[in-house]
Amino acid sequence: MPSIPDEIGSGSRARVLRFLLEHLGHVVSSDEIRQAAKSSEWARRLRELRDEFGYKILTHKDRRELKPGQYILETDVRLPALPRSMSKETRAFVLERNGYTCQMCGLAAGDPDPFRPGATVRLTMGHIIDKSKGGTDRPENLRAVCTNCNEGLQNSSPPKADRIELLKQVRRATIEDQLHLLTWLETKYAKVRPPEKK
Ligand SMILES: [Zn+2]
């Protein structure tokens, strides 16, 4: 296996990279990466490896045969690190214009993160036309998206069997626990639910 460069460090970022290098040329899932990372910050670590350290980690945006939540590292050869072409001012402008709200799922910065219990939603810059297809870093090609949508997570619905299992568990729970769950879900989704019909 190729070695882990010193600048990667020895924390969750190194664990993600080690996992990817062990599976060089093979499709891996976000679940597997999360487990290898032993951290809820796995998606951020993945982005750092790609954007700051130049590892060519491909996603469904790069490869048609990959589904959202699937990744592949095909080579340990790294691209030269590119300077950030997006200015702080551009990011601030786009965030403000989009009302600090994810333009894909509607969650706002600071809302409870549906994919990372206990954490809050973080917004990042999403490209409307992907950079690999010639999109620019200019404000008109940018929009605020949460890190989950950016990684394609919001679009991946769980397999049906899991949902049935989950519902079975909920139905078996005590009324008190079910009401607790209801309150929790209502609070969590208050902002993204469509308004009630009158
Ligand atoms: Zn989102």
Side-chain angles (χ1 to χ4, degrees):
M1 197 190 90
S3 60
I4 308 281
D6 286 344
E7 68 262 34
I8 302 294
S10 58
S12 57
R13 189 165 59 209
R15 289 195 289 273
V16 170
L17 179 58
R18 187 171 302 122
F19 177 78
L20 290 172
L21 289 172
E22 280 167 4
H23 296 81
L24 205 65
H26 295 278
V27 175
V28 294
S29 71
S30 50
D31 283 342
E32 292 171 325
I33 298 173
R34 183 188 299 123
Q35 273 171 24
K38 300 190 183 88
S39 163
S40 61
E41 297 290 306
W42 66 274
R44 179 185 280 203
R45 300 288 98 87
L46 204 62
R47 269 197 305 282
E48 288 169 356
L49 288 169
R50 191 179 55 207
D51 299 342
E52 294 172 31
F53 296 95
Y55 284 96
K56 289 187 267 183
I57 302 164
L58 305 179
T59 72
H60 66 288
K61 291 178 187 169
D62 310 297
R63 280 290 166 81
R64 193 171 295 178
E65 63 265 31
L66 295 176
K67 297 191 188 82
Q70 290 188 328
Y71 305 85
I72 186 168
L73 179 63
E74 289 191 319
T75 170
D76 63 316
V77 177
R78 294 153 67 185
L79 295 167
L82 294 169
R84 272 209 170 160
S85 56
M86 206 184 299
S87 70
K88 262 186 182 170
E89 289 73 20
T90 299
R91 302 166 84 84
F93 173 81
V94 173
L95 286 172
E96 173 100 47
R97 186 189 62 197
N98 290 154
Y100 298 91
T101 305
C102 173
Q103 300 301 293
M104 291 180 79
C105 71
L107 288 173
D111 282 348
D113 188 326
F115 287 89
R116 297 179 305 138
T120 54
V121 167
R122 271 198 314 265
L123 295 176
T124 179
M125 290 293 106
H127 291 84
I128 295 164
I129 297 170
D130 209 73
K131 287 193 83 167
S132 64
K133 298 191 175 72
T136 69
D137 282 338
R138 296 183 52 76
E140 56 270 26
N141 190 44
L142 294 170
R143 59 181 178 170
V145 288
C146 72
T147 49
N148 294 324
C149 285
N150 200 40
E151 294 296 326
L153 289 182
Q154 293 302 38
N155 295 327
S156 57
S157 55
K160 258 210 152 115
D162 285 0
R163 196 174 294 176
I164 292 166
E165 272 311 304
L166 179 65
L167 286 173
K168 259 161 69 182
Q169 293 213 16
V170 172
R171 291 195 193 103
R172 278 202 299 256
T174 61
I175 290 177
E176 198 185 12
D177 282 349
Q178 291 195 24
L179 287 173
H180 181 82
L181 179 65
L182 179 65
T183 311
W184 178 69
L185 286 171
E186 280 179 342
T187 312
K188 183 163 154 183
Y189 289 108
K191 285 192 179 174
V192 287
R193 260 173 115 163
E196 271 179 47
K197 290 190 187 111
K198 279 176 192 157

